[in-house]
Amino acid sequence: MDGQSLVQTHPVTESTPINFASSSSSSSSDSDDDFFGSSSWPSTTSAASNLLPPKKKLRRSRTAPALVSVNDLFEESQNEFEPTSLVRQASFLLVIYLSLGVTVYYFNRDHFSGTESTYHVVDALYFCIVTMCTIGYGDIAPITPFTKLFACVFVLVGFGFIDILLSGVVNHVLDLQENLILSGSQVQVQGQGQGQRQLGSSDHKRGGFGFGFGFGFSACMDCIVDVAKGRMRIRLKVGLALGVVLLCIGLGSLVLYFFEHLDGVDSVYLAVMSVTTVGYGDRAFKTLPGRLFASIWLLVSTLAVARAFLYLAEARIDKRHRRLTNWVLQREITIDDLLAADINNNGYIRKSEYVIYKLKEMGKISEKDVKQICNQFNKLDESNSGKITLHSLLQSHL
């Protein structure tokens, strides 16, 4: 009997060679450089399918945790911070805030100065909006100690708390608009790419018109969307915000011209002074339709102007960050950099240490942020194994 007959072969092990040396060497390596490379992650799906018999069916164990119930633990904590809840809170508080102001004004309307009176509820709402937006035309003002104290509290609450919530609502609306533009651009780019492949043969007959159109469309979308960052370009945001401001000024000027019977210059003058919350007081809304329009227009236009100036500041900061990022990426590493990036003090830096050091130089993270993340990791890693398992994750959420 020869040596080959003593070895009992199995069809699975015979057809699927397993390299134990490579697995042991990779598992014993203490370097985390391969963590940032997706191509080095092991593909266990094909190996597992080869190791199992072809007719054997796999079933989940009854004691295994269901991933649906595991995800529900995280969804419950995330529902508290949904933008829709912020919108509901802002709407509810705004209604209470304005209702309180209208009620106080209505029952104390004789304690407010104002030569031009239209309708008591409309005048009360107009006064509340003008006060909350910190415009202060002066056409309606408190004259008694009680109404003056009420105006002080009313403007502080409106300027501090309500405006923050309303700014959150505006951010939510703008984010939805940006997501719609981004999703629409991705669909159009995919459709344009398929159209180019279908019309590729006919482009030669038409002198390359399809290619030229596709190139122009791609260039246009590149000006609108920053594909690398997955967001709209900040210059487009500034342009859209300024466009909304001009639209508000134009709409206000038209209403002032036709309903308040001001001339063209005074209409534009009062519209600009209103949206910028200057409010000299020499001009104001006096008619019933004008004050009804101002109650909505002033609230929207002042927030739009604030958002436009915020985008201008964000554009300058973004430009400064781009310059700093380019400088950090282009400069060569020095010995001082190596010593500073060597967190473990072992004489060399790993890829994770290099990435963290470069992010610190760019100003994207700080040493305090890194320590907080490490502390959070240590709380989840109760066994101090350097890994977060499903069991420890479930224990932290129960």
PDB file of all heavy atoms in Angstrom, residues 293-318:
ATOM      1  N   PHE A 293     -49.253  91.853   4.351  1.00  0.00           N
ATOM      2  CA  PHE A 293     -48.105  91.378   3.559  1.00  0.00           C
ATOM      3  C   PHE A 293     -46.813  91.468   4.363  1.00  0.00           C
ATOM      4  O   PHE A 293     -45.979  90.561   4.315  1.00  0.00           O
ATOM      5  CB  PHE A 293     -48.006  92.207   2.285  1.00  0.00           C
ATOM      6  CG  PHE A 293     -46.724  92.006   1.528  1.00  0.00           C
ATOM      7  CD1 PHE A 293     -46.527  90.877   0.746  1.00  0.00           C
ATOM      8  CD2 PHE A 293     -45.714  92.950   1.595  1.00  0.00           C
ATOM      9  CE1 PHE A 293     -45.335  90.680   0.057  1.00  0.00           C
ATOM     10  CE2 PHE A 293     -44.529  92.770   0.904  1.00  0.00           C
ATOM     11  CZ  PHE A 293     -44.335  91.635   0.133  1.00  0.00           C
ATOM     12  N   ALA A 294     -46.647  92.570   5.113  1.00  0.00           N
ATOM     13  CA  ALA A 294     -45.411  92.750   5.878  1.00  0.00           C
ATOM     14  C   ALA A 294     -45.263  91.709   6.971  1.00  0.00           C
ATOM     15  O   ALA A 294     -44.133  91.330   7.329  1.00  0.00           O
ATOM     16  CB  ALA A 294     -45.374  94.149   6.481  1.00  0.00           C
ATOM     17  N   SER A 295     -46.363  91.219   7.519  1.00  0.00           N
ATOM     18  CA  SER A 295     -46.286  90.225   8.589  1.00  0.00           C
ATOM     19  C   SER A 295     -45.620  88.936   8.121  1.00  0.00           C
ATOM     20  O   SER A 295     -44.952  88.255   8.920  1.00  0.00           O
ATOM     21  CB  SER A 295     -47.699  89.928   9.116  1.00  0.00           C
ATOM     22  OG  SER A 295     -48.296  91.094   9.637  1.00  0.00           O
ATOM     23  N   ILE A 296     -45.762  88.603   6.866  1.00  0.00           N
ATOM     24  CA  ILE A 296     -45.118  87.402   6.309  1.00  0.00           C
ATOM     25  C   ILE A 296     -43.812  87.758   5.619  1.00  0.00           C
ATOM     26  O   ILE A 296     -42.805  87.072   5.763  1.00  0.00           O
ATOM     27  CB  ILE A 296     -46.067  86.684   5.335  1.00  0.00           C
ATOM     28  CG1 ILE A 296     -47.363  86.304   6.056  1.00  0.00           C
ATOM     29  CG2 ILE A 296     -45.415  85.443   4.742  1.00  0.00           C
ATOM     30  CD1 ILE A 296     -48.416  85.699   5.158  1.00  0.00           C
ATOM     31  N   TRP A 297     -43.818  88.827   4.873  1.00  0.00           N
ATOM     32  CA  TRP A 297     -42.655  89.214   4.057  1.00  0.00           C
ATOM     33  C   TRP A 297     -41.451  89.568   4.917  1.00  0.00           C
ATOM     34  O   TRP A 297     -40.318  89.191   4.593  1.00  0.00           O
ATOM     35  CB  TRP A 297     -43.038  90.382   3.167  1.00  0.00           C
ATOM     36  CG  TRP A 297     -41.919  90.961   2.364  1.00  0.00           C
ATOM     37  CD1 TRP A 297     -41.309  90.395   1.280  1.00  0.00           C
ATOM     38  CD2 TRP A 297     -41.273  92.213   2.586  1.00  0.00           C
ATOM     39  NE1 TRP A 297     -40.327  91.220   0.814  1.00  0.00           N
ATOM     40  CE2 TRP A 297     -40.283  92.350   1.598  1.00  0.00           C
ATOM     41  CE3 TRP A 297     -41.446  93.234   3.513  1.00  0.00           C
ATOM     42  CZ2 TRP A 297     -39.469  93.462   1.507  1.00  0.00           C
ATOM     43  CZ3 TRP A 297     -40.631  94.353   3.432  1.00  0.00           C
ATOM     44  CH2 TRP A 297     -39.652  94.459   2.444  1.00  0.00           C
ATOM     45  N   LEU A 298     -41.658  90.305   6.010  1.00  0.00           N
ATOM     46  CA  LEU A 298     -40.539  90.700   6.860  1.00  0.00           C
ATOM     47  C   LEU A 298     -39.882  89.483   7.501  1.00  0.00           C
ATOM     48  O   LEU A 298     -38.647  89.421   7.619  1.00  0.00           O
ATOM     49  CB  LEU A 298     -41.025  91.660   7.944  1.00  0.00           C
ATOM     50  CG  LEU A 298     -41.446  93.056   7.484  1.00  0.00           C
ATOM     51  CD1 LEU A 298     -42.008  93.849   8.639  1.00  0.00           C
ATOM     52  CD2 LEU A 298     -40.282  93.787   6.843  1.00  0.00           C
ATOM     53  N   LEU A 299     -40.680  88.509   7.920  1.00  0.00           N
ATOM     54  CA  LEU A 299     -40.127  87.313   8.563  1.00  0.00           C
ATOM     55  C   LEU A 299     -39.271  86.512   7.600  1.00  0.00           C
ATOM     56  O   LEU A 299     -38.178  86.044   7.946  1.00  0.00           O
ATOM     57  CB  LEU A 299     -41.262  86.462   9.116  1.00  0.00           C
ATOM     58  CG  LEU A 299     -40.882  85.238   9.947  1.00  0.00           C
ATOM     59  CD1 LEU A 299     -40.105  85.662  11.183  1.00  0.00           C
ATOM     60  CD2 LEU A 299     -42.115  84.451  10.334  1.00  0.00           C
ATOM     61  N   VAL A 300     -39.729  86.364   6.363  1.00  0.00           N
ATOM     62  CA  VAL A 300     -38.997  85.570   5.375  1.00  0.00           C
ATOM     63  C   VAL A 300     -37.779  86.325   4.862  1.00  0.00           C
ATOM     64  O   VAL A 300     -36.676  85.770   4.747  1.00  0.00           O
ATOM     65  CB  VAL A 300     -39.935  85.176   4.220  1.00  0.00           C
ATOM     66  CG1 VAL A 300     -39.161  84.451   3.123  1.00  0.00           C
ATOM     67  CG2 VAL A 300     -41.077  84.314   4.728  1.00  0.00           C
ATOM     68  N   SER A 301     -37.943  87.595   4.548  1.00  0.00           N
ATOM     69  CA  SER A 301     -36.860  88.356   3.915  1.00  0.00           C
ATOM     70  C   SER A 301     -35.698  88.603   4.867  1.00  0.00           C
ATOM     71  O   SER A 301     -34.522  88.544   4.449  1.00  0.00           O
ATOM     72  CB  SER A 301     -37.403  89.686   3.392  1.00  0.00           C
ATOM     73  OG  SER A 301     -37.969  90.443   4.457  1.00  0.00           O
ATOM     74  N   THR A 302     -35.968  88.876   6.144  1.00  0.00           N
ATOM     75  CA  THR A 302     -34.862  89.093   7.077  1.00  0.00           C
ATOM     76  C   THR A 302     -34.043  87.814   7.278  1.00  0.00           C
ATOM     77  O   THR A 302     -32.806  87.865   7.376  1.00  0.00           O
ATOM     78  CB  THR A 302     -35.412  89.579   8.424  1.00  0.00           C
ATOM     79  OG1 THR A 302     -36.461  88.697   8.860  1.00  0.00           O
ATOM     80  CG2 THR A 302     -35.964  90.981   8.307  1.00  0.00           C
ATOM     81  N   LEU A 303     -34.707  86.673   7.345  1.00  0.00           N
ATOM     82  CA  LEU A 303     -33.974  85.404   7.441  1.00  0.00           C
ATOM     83  C   LEU A 303     -33.175  85.128   6.172  1.00  0.00           C
ATOM     84  O   LEU A 303     -32.063  84.588   6.232  1.00  0.00           O
ATOM     85  CB  LEU A 303     -34.954  84.259   7.714  1.00  0.00           C
ATOM     86  CG  LEU A 303     -35.596  84.243   9.105  1.00  0.00           C
ATOM     87  CD1 LEU A 303     -36.621  83.120   9.195  1.00  0.00           C
ATOM     88  CD2 LEU A 303     -34.556  84.094  10.192  1.00  0.00           C
ATOM     89  N   ALA A 304     -33.730  85.484   5.002  1.00  0.00           N
ATOM     90  CA  ALA A 304     -33.008  85.279   3.741  1.00  0.00           C
ATOM     91  C   ALA A 304     -31.761  86.142   3.676  1.00  0.00           C
ATOM     92  O   ALA A 304     -30.696  85.694   3.221  1.00  0.00           O
ATOM     93  CB  ALA A 304     -33.935  85.579   2.565  1.00  0.00           C
ATOM     94  N   VAL A 305     -31.845  87.378   4.133  1.00  0.00           N
ATOM     95  CA  VAL A 305     -30.671  88.261   4.140  1.00  0.00           C
ATOM     96  C   VAL A 305     -29.608  87.735   5.098  1.00  0.00           C
ATOM     97  O   VAL A 305     -28.407  87.723   4.779  1.00  0.00           O
ATOM     98  CB  VAL A 305     -31.093  89.694   4.518  1.00  0.00           C
ATOM     99  CG1 VAL A 305     -29.873  90.577   4.741  1.00  0.00           C
ATOM    100  CG2 VAL A 305     -31.967  90.291   3.425  1.00  0.00           C
ATOM    101  N   ALA A 306     -30.041  87.294   6.286  1.00  0.00           N
ATOM    102  CA  ALA A 306     -29.081  86.734   7.243  1.00  0.00           C
ATOM    103  C   ALA A 306     -28.387  85.502   6.671  1.00  0.00           C
ATOM    104  O   ALA A 306     -27.173  85.315   6.839  1.00  0.00           O
ATOM    105  CB  ALA A 306     -29.788  86.390   8.548  1.00  0.00           C
ATOM    106  N   ARG A 307     -29.147  84.648   5.958  1.00  0.00           N
ATOM    107  CA  ARG A 307     -28.559  83.463   5.366  1.00  0.00           C
ATOM    108  C   ARG A 307     -27.591  83.823   4.246  1.00  0.00           C
ATOM    109  O   ARG A 307     -26.545  83.184   4.081  1.00  0.00           O
ATOM    110  CB  ARG A 307     -29.682  82.563   4.838  1.00  0.00           C
ATOM    111  CG  ARG A 307     -29.225  81.272   4.184  1.00  0.00           C
ATOM    112  CD  ARG A 307     -28.369  80.448   5.080  1.00  0.00           C
ATOM    113  NE  ARG A 307     -28.936  80.274   6.398  1.00  0.00           N
ATOM    114  CZ  ARG A 307     -28.339  79.640   7.386  1.00  0.00           C
ATOM    115  NH1 ARG A 307     -27.125  79.146   7.223  1.00  0.00           N
ATOM    116  NH2 ARG A 307     -28.927  79.503   8.561  1.00  0.00           N
ATOM    117  N   ALA A 308     -27.884  84.863   3.475  1.00  0.00           N
ATOM    118  CA  ALA A 308     -26.990  85.281   2.391  1.00  0.00           C
ATOM    119  C   ALA A 308     -25.649  85.757   2.943  1.00  0.00           C
ATOM    120  O   ALA A 308     -24.579  85.391   2.430  1.00  0.00           O
ATOM    121  CB  ALA A 308     -27.655  86.381   1.564  1.00  0.00           C
ATOM    122  N   PHE A 309     -25.676  86.572   4.000  1.00  0.00           N
ATOM    123  CA  PHE A 309     -24.425  87.034   4.596  1.00  0.00           C
ATOM    124  C   PHE A 309     -23.665  85.886   5.251  1.00  0.00           C
ATOM    125  O   PHE A 309     -22.422  85.874   5.258  1.00  0.00           O
ATOM    126  CB  PHE A 309     -24.705  88.134   5.610  1.00  0.00           C
ATOM    127  CG  PHE A 309     -25.023  89.464   4.992  1.00  0.00           C
ATOM    128  CD1 PHE A 309     -26.308  89.974   5.036  1.00  0.00           C
ATOM    129  CD2 PHE A 309     -24.046  90.203   4.350  1.00  0.00           C
ATOM    130  CE1 PHE A 309     -26.608  91.193   4.459  1.00  0.00           C
ATOM    131  CE2 PHE A 309     -24.328  91.428   3.768  1.00  0.00           C
ATOM    132  CZ  PHE A 309     -25.622  91.928   3.820  1.00  0.00           C
ATOM    133  N   LEU A 310     -24.379  84.915   5.787  1.00  0.00           N
ATOM    134  CA  LEU A 310     -23.712  83.751   6.354  1.00  0.00           C
ATOM    135  C   LEU A 310     -23.012  82.934   5.274  1.00  0.00           C
ATOM    136  O   LEU A 310     -21.895  82.442   5.477  1.00  0.00           O
ATOM    137  CB  LEU A 310     -24.731  82.884   7.099  1.00  0.00           C
ATOM    138  CG  LEU A 310     -24.174  81.636   7.796  1.00  0.00           C
ATOM    139  CD1 LEU A 310     -23.152  82.028   8.861  1.00  0.00           C
ATOM    140  CD2 LEU A 310     -25.287  80.826   8.427  1.00  0.00           C
ATOM    141  N   TYR A 311     -23.640  82.809   4.110  1.00  0.00           N
ATOM    142  CA  TYR A 311     -23.006  82.107   3.004  1.00  0.00           C
ATOM    143  C   TYR A 311     -21.770  82.860   2.489  1.00  0.00           C
ATOM    144  O   TYR A 311     -20.784  82.239   2.072  1.00  0.00           O
ATOM    145  CB  TYR A 311     -24.000  81.902   1.868  1.00  0.00           C
ATOM    146  CG  TYR A 311     -24.939  80.736   2.078  1.00  0.00           C
ATOM    147  CD1 TYR A 311     -26.186  80.693   1.460  1.00  0.00           C
ATOM    148  CD2 TYR A 311     -24.596  79.675   2.898  1.00  0.00           C
ATOM    149  CE1 TYR A 311     -27.045  79.620   1.651  1.00  0.00           C
ATOM    150  CE2 TYR A 311     -25.442  78.614   3.104  1.00  0.00           C
ATOM    151  CZ  TYR A 311     -26.671  78.599   2.475  1.00  0.00           C
ATOM    152  OH  TYR A 311     -27.516  77.545   2.674  1.00  0.00           O
ATOM    153  N   LEU A 312     -21.840  84.188   2.497  1.00  0.00           N
ATOM    154  CA  LEU A 312     -20.659  84.962   2.101  1.00  0.00           C
ATOM    155  C   LEU A 312     -19.490  84.700   3.044  1.00  0.00           C
ATOM    156  O   LEU A 312     -18.342  84.523   2.608  1.00  0.00           O
ATOM    157  CB  LEU A 312     -20.997  86.450   2.076  1.00  0.00           C
ATOM    158  CG  LEU A 312     -21.885  86.935   0.920  1.00  0.00           C
ATOM    159  CD1 LEU A 312     -22.260  88.399   1.122  1.00  0.00           C
ATOM    160  CD2 LEU A 312     -21.167  86.748  -0.415  1.00  0.00           C
ATOM    161  N   ALA A 313     -19.774  84.676   4.341  1.00  0.00           N
ATOM    162  CA  ALA A 313     -18.714  84.364   5.310  1.00  0.00           C
ATOM    163  C   ALA A 313     -18.220  82.930   5.135  1.00  0.00           C
ATOM    164  O   ALA A 313     -17.011  82.655   5.241  1.00  0.00           O
ATOM    165  CB  ALA A 313     -19.232  84.587   6.725  1.00  0.00           C
ATOM    166  N   GLU A 314     -19.147  82.010   4.858  1.00  0.00           N
ATOM    167  CA  GLU A 314     -18.747  80.619   4.654  1.00  0.00           C
ATOM    168  C   GLU A 314     -17.889  80.465   3.410  1.00  0.00           C
ATOM    169  O   GLU A 314     -16.971  79.628   3.382  1.00  0.00           O
ATOM    170  CB  GLU A 314     -19.999  79.749   4.531  1.00  0.00           C
ATOM    171  CG  GLU A 314     -19.716  78.259   4.422  1.00  0.00           C
ATOM    172  CD  GLU A 314     -20.972  77.435   4.296  1.00  0.00           C
ATOM    173  OE1 GLU A 314     -22.086  78.006   4.462  1.00  0.00           O
ATOM    174  OE2 GLU A 314     -20.866  76.226   4.028  1.00  0.00           O
ATOM    175  N   ALA A 315     -18.160  81.266   2.383  1.00  0.00           N
ATOM    176  CA  ALA A 315     -17.353  81.195   1.162  1.00  0.00           C
ATOM    177  C   ALA A 315     -15.912  81.622   1.437  1.00  0.00           C
ATOM    178  O   ALA A 315     -14.957  81.002   0.944  1.00  0.00           O
ATOM    179  CB  ALA A 315     -17.971  82.073   0.074  1.00  0.00           C
ATOM    180  N   ARG A 316     -15.733  82.670   2.229  1.00  0.00           N
ATOM    181  CA  ARG A 316     -14.377  83.111   2.552  1.00  0.00           C
ATOM    182  C   ARG A 316     -13.647  82.080   3.412  1.00  0.00           C
ATOM    183  O   ARG A 316     -12.462  81.809   3.213  1.00  0.00           O
ATOM    184  CB  ARG A 316     -14.438  84.457   3.283  1.00  0.00           C
ATOM    185  CG  ARG A 316     -15.020  85.594   2.443  1.00  0.00           C
ATOM    186  CD  ARG A 316     -14.832  86.922   3.107  1.00  0.00           C
ATOM    187  NE  ARG A 316     -13.410  87.231   3.267  1.00  0.00           N
ATOM    188  CZ  ARG A 316     -12.960  88.339   3.853  1.00  0.00           C
ATOM    189  NH1 ARG A 316     -13.818  89.215   4.357  1.00  0.00           N
ATOM    190  NH2 ARG A 316     -11.668  88.549   3.959  1.00  0.00           N
ATOM    191  N   ILE A 317     -14.363  81.504   4.380  1.00  0.00           N
ATOM    192  CA  ILE A 317     -13.743  80.481   5.226  1.00  0.00           C
ATOM    193  C   ILE A 317     -13.404  79.246   4.406  1.00  0.00           C
ATOM    194  O   ILE A 317     -12.334  78.634   4.586  1.00  0.00           O
ATOM    195  CB  ILE A 317     -14.696  80.130   6.389  1.00  0.00           C
ATOM    196  CG1 ILE A 317     -14.881  81.336   7.300  1.00  0.00           C
ATOM    197  CG2 ILE A 317     -14.159  78.944   7.184  1.00  0.00           C
ATOM    198  CD1 ILE A 317     -15.905  81.125   8.400  1.00  0.00           C
ATOM    199  N   ASP A 318     -14.291  78.859   3.483  1.00  0.00           N
ATOM    200  CA  ASP A 318     -14.028  77.696   2.642  1.00  0.00           C
ATOM    201  C   ASP A 318     -12.819  77.925   1.746  1.00  0.00           C
ATOM    202  O   ASP A 318     -12.011  77.015   1.534  1.00  0.00           O
ATOM    203  CB  ASP A 318     -15.272  77.389   1.804  1.00  0.00           C
ATOM    204  CG  ASP A 318     -15.115  76.113   1.005  1.00  0.00           C
ATOM    205  OD1 ASP A 318     -15.118  75.022   1.602  1.00  0.00           O
ATOM    206  OD2 ASP A 318     -14.986  76.193  -0.241  1.00  0.00           O
TER     207      ASP A 318
END
